[in-house]
Amino acid sequence: MNPTPDTALPVCDTSLRFVRLIERRADGLVSFEFSIGWPELAVELMLPEAAFEAFCANNRVQRLDT
């Protein structure tokens, strides 16, 4: 069954990765939102500063907070 134009889902490019910084905490953790394909659909994560920077580099993210 083919979807009709009314029910077709938008295209999702899973090669696009997005990060939106929420907070750099005093305890060294970075709180941020991460999404794949659609920046509107995200999960909230926390990592130590160095791990956050490595995560962003490894995923070649587009920063949405700058």
Side-chain angles (χ1 to χ4, degrees), residues 17-48:
R17 311 292 170 94
F18 304 95
V19 160
R20 180 176 284 117
L21 183 68
I22 298 171
E23 177 185 14
R24 291 183 189 272
R25 296 171 24 143
D27 62 3
L29 293 175
V30 177
S31 176
F32 63 100
E33 292 179 344
F34 175 66
S35 55
I36 298 174
W38 294 307
E40 302 84 12
L41 181 62
V43 295
E44 189 173 333
L45 302 169
M46 271 200 244
L47 289 171

Side-chain angles (χ1 to χ4, degrees), residues 2 7 9-10 14-15 17 21 26 28 32 37-38 43-44 46-51 54-56 58 60:
N2 292 330
T7 61
L9 295 174
T14 58
S15 69
R17 311 292 170 94
L21 183 68
F32 63 100
W38 294 307
V43 295
E44 189 173 333
M46 271 200 244
L47 289 171
E49 180 76 31
F55 178 87
C56 290
N58 290 337
R60 288 178 251 136

Side-chain angles (χ1 to χ4, degrees), residues 17-19 21 24 52-53 56 61-66:
R17 311 292 170 94
F18 304 95
V19 160
L21 183 68
R24 291 183 189 272
F52 169 72
E53 296 301 333
C56 290
V61 303
Q62 294 179 41
R63 298 285 298 261
L64 300 175
D65 53 287
T66 57

